[in-house]
Amino acid sequence: MWLRPPIRIWRLVLFELWRLVLLTAGVLVTVLSFAGAVRLLAESKLGPIDSLWFMAYAIPPMLEYALPFAAGFGATLAYHRLAADNEVLACHASGISHRALLVPSVVSGLVLAGVLVVLSNVLIPKFLRSMEELVEQDATRLIVNSINRGEPVRLGDMLVYADMVRPLGPDEPAADGAPG
């Protein structure tokens, strides 16, 4: 005897599952991106506007860590709610097996696995390069900020100490008299 698939219950479980996954992933990604940007902002390696750009660039790399956790957390809460509301018992009483109730999770897991493969092989390397360029784009500002704070500047194996710094324009002569 062939039974009709429980499309309606699958849609309800998928909606609840994805609502929780997206909410959890959004919160986690925001917190992780903010934590990465605040450290660089505190070290004066990024300005306030650059920190916002850094957070935007950090979203796809952070998804690699947040999505698996969010999926597990979302599935746990979605199925806990089904069990707490006795909907699992009602489905089982109406002839829907427990395996059939897991179909939305299996489909969601396969979709998320595909998303993570694309993220890790295509998108994340591009965004990591963009983050690196953002931090390294203004080396002058990094050196000036470090010296103004009284910290030495590390250049390879050397430490450069200075009391003050004055950035030179393209037409100003250097301190030793050589052209800028």
Side-chain angles (χ1 to χ4, degrees):
M1 178 170 122
W2 184 80
L3 296 175
R4 207 173 93 214
I7 303 291
R8 182 170 290 175
I9 192 76
W10 286 350
R11 278 190 308 180
L12 293 172
V13 171
L14 269 175
F15 175 76
E16 184 69 17
L17 176 68
W18 278 97
R19 183 180 68 85
L20 291 167
V21 167
L22 293 176
L23 181 67
T24 305
V27 169
L28 282 174
V29 164
T30 303
V31 169
L32 291 172
S33 298
F34 181 74
V38 163
R39 183 177 48 85
L40 294 174
L41 182 63
E43 295 172 358
S44 297
K45 291 185 177 180
L46 291 176
I49 301 299
D50 292 336
S51 294
L52 293 175
W53 280 108
F54 186 85
M55 284 177 62
Y57 288 143
I59 287 173
M62 296 306 157
L63 277 173
E64 187 173 23
Y65 302 108
L67 273 180
F69 176 79
F73 186 71
T76 300
L77 288 181
Y79 282 101
H80 176 267
R81 183 167 174 216
L82 280 175
D85 293 343
N86 289 327
E87 292 176 16
V88 173
L89 186 62
C91 289
H92 189 66
S94 65
I96 300 171
S97 70
H98 292 299
R99 282 189 200 162
L101 287 177
L102 292 177
V103 168
S105 292
V106 172
V107 170
S108 296
L110 292 173
V111 168
L112 284 174
V115 166
L116 285 173
V117 165
V118 170
L119 271 175
S120 63
N121 291 327
V122 178
L123 291 177
I124 290 176
K126 291 179 184 179
F127 279 91
L128 288 176
R129 257 187 258 105
S130 298
M131 290 167 60
E132 185 178 341
E133 289 171 5
L134 184 67
V135 171
E136 293 176 353
Q137 75 181 351
D138 196 0
T140 305
R141 183 183 67 211
L142 294 175
I143 292 171
V144 168
N145 287 341
S146 292
I147 292 174
N148 285 336
R149 285 192 318 263
E151 298 174 357
V153 176
R154 181 175 296 276
L155 300 172
D157 293 340
M158 291 188 324
L159 287 176
V160 176
Y161 293 94
D163 293 328
M164 68 174 243
V165 63
R166 183 177 63 108
L168 298 177
D171 298 332
E172 296 181 48
D176 62 358

Short mmCIF file of all heavy atoms in Angstrom, two decimals, residues 34 37-38 40-42 44-56 134 141 145:
data_model
loop_
_atom_site.label_atom_id
_atom_site.label_comp_id
_atom_site.label_asym_id
_atom_site.label_seq_id
_atom_site.Cartn_x
_atom_site.Cartn_y
_atom_site.Cartn_z
N PHE A 34 32.16 40.90 14.38
CA PHE A 34 32.41 42.03 15.26
C PHE A 34 33.65 41.79 16.11
O PHE A 34 34.48 42.68 16.29
CB PHE A 34 31.19 42.29 16.14
CG PHE A 34 31.35 43.46 17.05
CD1 PHE A 34 31.29 44.75 16.57
CD2 PHE A 34 31.55 43.27 18.41
CE1 PHE A 34 31.44 45.84 17.41
CE2 PHE A 34 31.70 44.34 19.26
CZ PHE A 34 31.65 45.63 18.77
N ALA A 37 36.76 42.33 14.03
CA ALA A 37 36.99 43.72 13.67
C ALA A 37 37.38 44.57 14.88
O ALA A 37 38.19 45.48 14.75
CB ALA A 37 35.74 44.30 13.01
N VAL A 38 36.84 44.27 16.05
CA VAL A 38 37.14 45.07 17.24
C VAL A 38 38.61 44.95 17.62
O VAL A 38 39.25 45.93 18.01
CB VAL A 38 36.22 44.65 18.42
CG1 VAL A 38 36.75 45.12 19.74
CG2 VAL A 38 34.85 45.18 18.20
N LEU A 40 41.18 44.49 15.63
CA LEU A 40 41.97 45.31 14.72
C LEU A 40 41.70 46.80 14.95
O LEU A 40 42.59 47.63 14.78
CB LEU A 40 41.68 44.93 13.28
CG LEU A 40 42.12 43.52 12.89
CD1 LEU A 40 41.65 43.18 11.50
CD2 LEU A 40 43.63 43.40 12.97
N LEU A 41 40.49 47.14 15.31
CA LEU A 41 40.16 48.54 15.62
C LEU A 41 40.90 48.99 16.87
O LEU A 41 41.42 50.10 16.92
CB LEU A 41 38.64 48.69 15.80
CG LEU A 41 38.12 50.10 16.07
CD1 LEU A 41 38.41 51.01 14.89
CD2 LEU A 41 36.64 50.06 16.35
N ALA A 42 40.98 48.14 17.89
CA ALA A 42 41.67 48.48 19.13
C ALA A 42 43.17 48.63 18.90
O ALA A 42 43.82 49.44 19.57
CB ALA A 42 41.41 47.41 20.18
N SER A 44 44.43 49.86 16.31
CA SER A 44 44.53 50.97 15.34
C SER A 44 45.00 50.50 13.98
O SER A 44 45.62 51.25 13.24
CB SER A 44 45.45 52.07 15.87
OG SER A 44 44.91 52.64 17.02
N LYS A 45 44.73 49.27 13.64
CA LYS A 45 45.05 48.78 12.30
C LYS A 45 43.93 49.09 11.32
O LYS A 45 44.13 49.03 10.13
CB LYS A 45 45.33 47.28 12.33
CG LYS A 45 46.61 46.93 13.06
CD LYS A 45 46.92 45.47 12.97
CE LYS A 45 48.24 45.19 13.65
NZ LYS A 45 48.60 43.77 13.58
N LEU A 46 42.75 49.40 11.86
CA LEU A 46 41.61 49.78 11.04
C LEU A 46 40.93 51.00 11.64
O LEU A 46 40.90 51.16 12.86
CB LEU A 46 40.58 48.64 10.98
CG LEU A 46 40.94 47.38 10.22
CD1 LEU A 46 39.82 46.36 10.38
CD2 LEU A 46 41.17 47.67 8.76
N GLY A 47 40.38 51.83 10.77
CA GLY A 47 39.58 52.95 11.23
C GLY A 47 38.14 52.50 11.42
O GLY A 47 37.79 51.35 11.14
N PRO A 48 37.28 53.39 11.88
CA PRO A 48 35.88 53.01 12.12
C PRO A 48 35.15 52.55 10.86
O PRO A 48 34.44 51.55 10.89
CB PRO A 48 35.25 54.28 12.68
CG PRO A 48 36.38 55.12 13.15
CD PRO A 48 37.57 54.74 12.34
N ILE A 49 35.32 53.25 9.76
CA ILE A 49 34.64 52.87 8.52
C ILE A 49 35.24 51.58 7.97
O ILE A 49 34.51 50.68 7.51
CB ILE A 49 34.74 54.00 7.47
CG1 ILE A 49 34.11 55.28 8.01
CG2 ILE A 49 34.12 53.59 6.16
CD1 ILE A 49 32.64 55.15 8.35
N ASP A 50 36.58 51.47 8.05
CA ASP A 50 37.24 50.24 7.59
C ASP A 50 36.80 49.04 8.42
O ASP A 50 36.72 47.92 7.91
CB ASP A 50 38.76 50.38 7.66
CG ASP A 50 39.29 51.38 6.65
OD1 ASP A 50 38.60 51.61 5.64
OD2 ASP A 50 40.39 51.93 6.88
N SER A 51 36.51 49.26 9.70
CA SER A 51 36.04 48.16 10.54
C SER A 51 34.70 47.63 10.06
O SER A 51 34.45 46.42 10.08
CB SER A 51 35.91 48.61 12.00
OG SER A 51 37.17 48.92 12.52
N LEU A 52 33.82 48.53 9.63
CA LEU A 52 32.53 48.08 9.09
C LEU A 52 32.72 47.28 7.81
O LEU A 52 32.05 46.26 7.59
CB LEU A 52 31.62 49.28 8.85
CG LEU A 52 31.17 50.02 10.11
CD1 LEU A 52 30.37 51.26 9.73
CD2 LEU A 52 30.36 49.10 11.00
N TRP A 53 33.62 47.75 6.95
CA TRP A 53 33.92 46.98 5.73
C TRP A 53 34.53 45.63 6.07
O TRP A 53 34.22 44.62 5.45
CB TRP A 53 34.86 47.76 4.81
CG TRP A 53 34.15 48.80 4.01
CD1 TRP A 53 34.22 50.15 4.17
CD2 TRP A 53 33.25 48.56 2.93
NE1 TRP A 53 33.41 50.76 3.25
CE2 TRP A 53 32.80 49.81 2.48
CE3 TRP A 53 32.77 47.41 2.31
CZ2 TRP A 53 31.90 49.95 1.43
CZ3 TRP A 53 31.87 47.55 1.27
CH2 TRP A 53 31.45 48.80 0.84
N PHE A 54 35.42 45.62 7.06
CA PHE A 54 36.04 44.36 7.49
C PHE A 54 34.99 43.38 7.99
O PHE A 54 35.04 42.20 7.67
CB PHE A 54 37.07 44.65 8.60
CG PHE A 54 37.87 43.46 9.01
CD1 PHE A 54 39.00 43.10 8.31
CD2 PHE A 54 37.49 42.68 10.09
CE1 PHE A 54 39.74 42.00 8.68
CE2 PHE A 54 38.21 41.58 10.47
CZ PHE A 54 39.34 41.23 9.76
N MET A 55 34.01 43.89 8.76
CA MET A 55 32.94 43.02 9.24
C MET A 55 32.12 42.47 8.08
O MET A 55 31.74 41.29 8.08
CB MET A 55 32.02 43.79 10.20
CG MET A 55 32.61 44.00 11.57
SD MET A 55 31.56 44.98 12.65
CE MET A 55 30.11 43.96 12.76
N ALA A 56 31.86 43.30 7.07
CA ALA A 56 31.11 42.83 5.90
C ALA A 56 31.89 41.76 5.15
O ALA A 56 31.32 40.76 4.71
CB ALA A 56 30.78 44.00 4.98
N LEU A 134 42.33 45.05 2.86
CA LEU A 134 41.79 46.14 3.64
C LEU A 134 42.70 46.49 4.81
O LEU A 134 42.94 47.67 5.09
CB LEU A 134 40.39 45.77 4.16
CG LEU A 134 39.64 46.85 4.93
CD1 LEU A 134 39.29 48.00 3.99
CD2 LEU A 134 38.39 46.28 5.54
N ARG A 141 49.40 54.65 7.53
CA ARG A 141 48.55 54.92 8.68
C ARG A 141 48.90 54.00 9.85
O ARG A 141 48.93 54.42 11.01
CB ARG A 141 47.07 54.75 8.31
CG ARG A 141 46.14 55.10 9.45
CD ARG A 141 44.70 54.87 9.13
NE ARG A 141 44.50 53.43 8.98
CZ ARG A 141 43.61 52.88 8.17
NH1 ARG A 141 42.84 53.64 7.44
NH2 ARG A 141 43.48 51.58 8.08
N ASN A 145 50.19 55.54 13.35
CA ASN A 145 49.42 55.27 14.57
C ASN A 145 50.26 54.58 15.63
O ASN A 145 50.16 54.89 16.81
CB ASN A 145 48.18 54.44 14.25
CG ASN A 145 47.12 55.24 13.53
OD1 ASN A 145 47.12 56.46 13.55
ND2 ASN A 145 46.21 54.54 12.88
#
